[in-house]
Amino acid sequence: MGFGFAVVFSMRMRWISYEFKLALILLLLVFVPCEIKASHIQDGFDQCEHIVKKWASSSLDSKIKEDKHVLRDLLYFLHVPRTGGRTYYHCFLRKLYSNTSECPRSYDRLRFDPRKQDCRLLVTHDDYSVMSRLPKEKTSVVTILRDPIDRVFSTYEFSVEVAARFLVHPNLTSALRMTGRLRAKTKNRGVSTLDIWPWKYLVPWMREDLFARREARRREGRSSIDGNDPYDMEDVVMPLHEYINDPIAQDIIHNGATFQIAGLTNSSYLAESHEVRHCVQKYQTLGEYVLEVAKKRLDDMLYIGLTENHRESATIFANVVGAQVISQFAGSKARKDVVGNNDSGQGSLIRDTNSDSYSSNSTHQKPGKFSSTDTVEATNEDMTTGKLMKVYETCISTLRSTQLERRTNSLKNVRPAKFTKQARRQIAKQVLQEITSLNHLDVELYKYAQDIFAKQQGGALPIIVGEENEEKMLDKSFGSPSWEVLSISLSIFLLLLFISLFVNARRRISKRKL
């Protein structure tokens, strides 16, 4: 019996040993690949971190310009999409700079030649990397930023608005054919919105989606559309929650301001930009390096505006940028008067009859097609900061009316979807939180810009509307003191003289007493 027990025990031990070995093998098969995978992930992160750090280091090696508040020869307006930049372009910059002063084909990256340095104004959606092709020491940069959540809303709405214009065609094929013909005809007259970043990616994407949804409704025989939320009306237009999670939005829209100011959009001039962007999108923590570079770029800028602080931003722009442009024009005119007709023309500004102006139209207009009210005011010797603000106020009123009319007509093609501020307030909190999370870099950059803007407000001169006061300010800038300054100086001098005479008289009286 003892022998039998021993045999059974031995067999069980062998079975247990077999089970143990099998379990051990299974564990190895499970955990070893995981460790290898983790090792690969770590290696990938380390490699990406090295790439991003190297780029950031090369971007941060320059010191902040001590004279960054002084306007240089070339003004580069880095236009972040959906921040109100077109208003500044039409109602400020086109009033300050002549057509000949604007860099040819500013908004057209494919045909823009940044090596031509005779121009004085560059306005474009190109990112900061264009600075690699501009004379840095002679260039001042300005930009406008907007609350990231509102900017995503506006980008979505504008994508729908422009794409909806094509719905007048019976199908997508017809729309594409007609678009091709129109672009061929206007090739030498202007640039279509479809040629401009980021709309050259976003509009075709939305256009294709709108036609697909319309065809689906027709196939199903549905004429009526349910729902009252324009941001979640999937029968008509791509819902906002679907839009923000699409790979195209992930690549172009989210944290778009940070990537644009850092110079890392998918339209960048830098060879390494694609690799850096890929790493940052793959490993979110590396975005902090991009954020720091973007902050440094803001620190170096001449001016930063905020869309939400429209009036204050316009006032600061007029005083910080507008006043200096006017002063530069006055100086250049004085030099021109001295040179007279002996000027050989070598230093003249570029004249380009096909100069692009990113207008609110889908196709850019030639300079000659602007109305008399849009003529360049910089040629007026009497232009002042006060006059500039008055012209600006009139201009934005007209421009906004035109934009509203175009928007209303376009959105009729996607009824009943109608985008309003009230409708925005009804968007689900979950969607808002998701947008905030997806744009965490832009959220931080906007906070930083708000701090800079507050400092600008403290340092900027108050707007001077009166022409007499304007002349006084100009007199001061050329070294001629105003009567107010002279009277104050004279009063101080007489007061000091009286005190001196009084003290001397007291001394003489005290000596006599002694």
Side-chain angles (χ1 to χ4, degrees):
M1 182 176 178
F3 176 75
F5 176 79
V7 171
V8 173
F9 179 77
S10 177
M11 290 177 67
R12 285 184 176 177
M13 288 300 294
R14 286 179 184 176
W15 179 251
I16 292 171
S17 178
Y18 173 76
E19 286 182 332
F20 177 75
K21 289 178 181 178
L22 183 62
L24 183 61
I25 291 170
L26 289 173
L27 286 172
L28 288 173
L29 289 173
V30 172
F31 286 106
V32 170
C34 290
E35 290 181 6
I36 294 172
K37 186 178 180 181
S39 177
H40 282 315
I41 291 173
Q42 185 61 42
D43 291 342
F45 176 81
D46 291 342
Q47 184 179 3
C48 271
E49 186 177 36
H50 173 73
I51 291 170
V52 176
K53 274 186 174 181
K54 183 180 178 181
W55 164 80
S57 177
S58 64
S59 302
L60 292 169
D61 58 2
S62 60
K63 295 181 180 179
I64 297 176
K65 299 173 186 175
E66 293 182 1
D67 58 343
K68 67 175 184 177
H69 298 299
V70 177
L71 177 64
R72 295 168 180 260
D73 295 338
L74 174 63
L75 178 64
Y76 167 31
F77 181 23
L78 193 160
H79 183 178
V80 177
R82 310 313 297 164
T83 57
R86 279 184 293 178
T87 302
Y88 271 59
Y89 174 68
H90 282 292
C91 301
F92 266 141
L93 297 174
R94 285 190 64 82
K95 310 303 179 186
L96 290 167
Y97 288 91
S98 64
N99 294 328
T100 55
S101 299
E102 187 177 355
C103 296
R105 301 196 178 281
S106 291
Y107 270 101
D108 185 1
R109 185 187 186 283
L110 299 177
R111 287 173 281 179
F112 166 57
D113 184 4
R115 291 172 297 180
K116 292 184 179 180
Q117 298 175 9
D118 290 340
C119 53
R120 305 285 295 275
L121 173 66
L122 171 62
V123 184
T124 175
H125 281 323
D126 276 325
D127 62 34
Y128 197 92
S129 65
V130 75
M131 286 289 286
S132 64
R133 301 194 177 190
L134 298 174
K136 263 188 179 179
E137 69 285 352
K138 295 181 179 180
T139 304
S140 293
V141 187
V142 298
T143 194
I144 304 173
L145 293 182
R146 185 175 187 174
D147 178 88
I149 297 177
D150 286 335
R151 202 177 79 83
V152 171
F153 290 159
S154 186
T155 302
Y156 169 76
E157 292 165 5
F158 189 70
S159 299
V160 174
E161 177 191 338
V162 178
R165 295 172 192 167
F166 295 92
L167 290 175
V168 294
H169 297 281
N171 53 58
L172 181 58
T173 303
S174 174
L176 293 176
R177 189 182 298 118
M178 182 58 70
T179 302
R181 290 173 184 171
L182 290 174
R183 292 175 73 179
K185 288 181 180 179
T186 59
K187 185 176 181 180
N188 296 323
R189 289 188 294 163
V191 181
S192 167
T193 302
L194 298 177
D195 292 326
I196 300 169
W197 184 92
W199 312 117
K200 63 182 179 181
Y201 299 106
L202 300 179
V203 172
W205 167 44
M206 183 59 69
R207 179 178 60 191
E208 185 176 341
D209 183 81
L210 288 177
F211 273 101
R213 292 175 193 274
R214 189 174 75 173
E215 289 302 317
R217 293 196 306 273
R218 286 177 176 176
R219 285 195 305 268
E220 297 172 10
R222 286 185 289 125
S223 57
S224 61
I225 300 167
D226 298 327
N228 55 6
D229 183 357
Y231 298 95
D232 190 13
M233 201 170 285
E234 61 181 358
D235 288 338
V236 182
V237 63
M238 184 187 301
L240 179 62
H241 65 83
E242 184 179 330
Y243 180 86
I244 62 175
N245 285 294
D246 191 280
I248 295 178
Q250 299 277 354
D251 188 41
I252 298 175
I253 299 172
H254 302 316
N255 296 313
T258 303
F259 278 100
Q260 191 174 352
I261 292 172
L264 293 175
T265 67
N266 62 346
S267 189
S268 176
Y269 285 90
L270 301 179
E272 67 271 23
S273 64
H274 175 73
E275 203 170 19
V276 175
R277 284 174 63 251
H278 172 73
C279 284
V280 172
Q281 289 169 350
K282 188 175 182 180
Y283 304 105
Q284 205 175 72
T285 55
L286 297 179
E288 293 302 317
Y289 294 103
V290 179
L291 180 61
E292 288 307 309
V293 171
K295 287 180 178 179
K296 169 64 165 54
R297 299 270 161 81
L298 292 184
D299 286 333
D300 286 341
M301 290 186 185
L302 170 66
Y303 162 88
I304 296 169
L306 299 178
T307 306
E308 287 72 23
N309 297 77
H310 169 74
R311 177 67 191 184
E312 297 90 339
S313 292
T315 301
I316 295 173
F317 187 89
N319 283 293
V320 172
V321 181
Q324 293 192 66
V325 175
I326 293 168
S327 178
Q328 279 188 357
F329 171 77
S332 63
K333 186 179 185 304
R335 287 193 298 272
K336 191 173 181 180
D337 290 340
V338 172
V339 175
N341 296 326
N342 294 325
D343 189 356
S344 63
Q346 293 178 352
S348 62
L349 298 172
I350 298 172
R351 176 172 291 279
D352 183 67
T353 56
N354 294 327
S355 176
D356 300 329
S357 56
Y358 184 29
S359 66
S360 53
N361 294 323
S362 60
T363 302
H364 293 198
Q365 296 173 321
K366 290 175 65 177
K369 292 200 175 179
F370 282 88
S371 66
S372 59
T373 56
D374 288 326
T375 54
V376 179
E377 299 291 341
T379 57
N380 186 346
E381 295 179 30
D382 298 326
M383 174 58 98
T384 61
T385 309
K387 285 181 179 179
L388 178 63
M389 281 300 295
K390 290 179 180 178
V391 169
Y392 173 78
E393 293 292 349
T394 303
C395 176
I396 61 172
S397 177
T398 304
L399 187 62
R400 285 174 178 172
S401 177
T402 303
Q403 290 173 342
L404 179 60
E405 182 180 0
R406 183 178 294 109
R407 177 187 175 96
T408 302
N409 291 333
S410 179
L411 293 180
K412 285 179 181 178
N413 297 320
V414 288
R415 285 179 295 191
K418 185 178 180 181
F419 304 121
T420 62
K421 290 183 179 179
Q422 184 178 0
R424 283 187 186 183
R425 288 192 283 269
Q426 296 174 358
I427 294 174
K429 288 184 179 179
Q430 183 180 349
V431 176
L432 297 178
Q433 291 171 355
E434 194 170 5
I435 294 174
T436 303
S437 176
L438 289 167
N439 291 273
H440 64 285
L441 297 178
D442 273 8
V443 170
E444 292 302 316
L445 186 67
Y446 185 72
K447 290 178 182 177
Y448 192 77
Q450 286 178 309
D451 291 338
I452 296 176
F453 184 77
K455 293 176 183 176
Q456 284 181 160
Q457 280 185 298
L461 293 171
I463 194 69
I464 301 173
V465 178
E467 301 305 324
E468 294 180 2
N469 289 335
E470 192 73 32
E471 290 173 3
K472 288 178 183 178
M473 189 176 78
L474 291 173
D475 287 341
K476 290 177 185 178
S477 66
F478 286 99
S480 301
S482 65
W483 285 110
E484 184 181 357
V485 173
L486 288 174
S487 62
I488 293 173
S489 300
L490 183 62
S491 299
I492 294 173
F493 173 77
L494 292 174
L495 178 62
L496 291 174
L497 181 63
F498 175 79
I499 293 172
S500 177
L501 292 173
F502 179 78
V503 171
N504 287 334
R506 289 290 300 272
R507 285 177 180 174
R508 285 196 295 270
I509 292 171
S510 61
K511 284 181 180 180
R512 288 174 184 175
K513 287 182 178 180
L514 289 173

